[in-house]
Amino acid sequence: MIYPFKLANQIQNSNDFKQVIWSNYLEHSNGITMKEYAAKEMEILSFGIYGVEEYHLKVKEYIIFLERII
């Protein structure tokens, strides 16, 4: 399971969203499709339990990226 703060931190420190989702998908997917996994990541980020203020812009960009996958 990916934790919200860890995910937000990865997004904040990344210049390549594809690398973020791919590495997390390989580690945490447990056999679900990429679309299903992207939906779960978006759900996790939508809860906003990771310190929204510090990560808002990059997380918002990442959510837009996830919407294109879904």
Side-chain angles (χ1 to χ4, degrees):
M1 166 160 198
I2 185 110
Y3 294 98
F5 180 74
K6 180 181 177 191
L7 178 57
N9 199 31
Q10 287 176 331
I11 294 166
Q12 183 71 18
N13 295 325
S14 176
N15 293 323
D16 183 9
F17 292 154
K18 291 177 188 175
Q19 188 275 329
V20 172
I21 194 164
W22 185 247
S23 65
N24 287 331
Y25 175 74
L26 290 176
E27 186 175 349
H28 303 287
S29 67
N30 296 324
I32 63 175
T33 67
M34 178 63 87
K35 282 185 174 187
E36 292 169 325
Y37 182 77
K40 286 184 183 268
E41 272 198 359
M42 190 160 35
E43 183 180 334
I44 289 169
L45 292 171
S46 296
F47 288 133
I49 54 175
Y50 49 82
V52 174
E53 296 297 323
E54 301 90 48
Y55 300 102
H56 177 72
L57 293 177
K58 286 280 274 222
V59 168
K60 184 176 177 182
E61 290 174 27
Y62 189 74
I63 289 173
I64 292 168
F65 169 77
L66 291 175
E67 287 174 342
R68 286 184 277 169
I69 292 172
I70 298 171

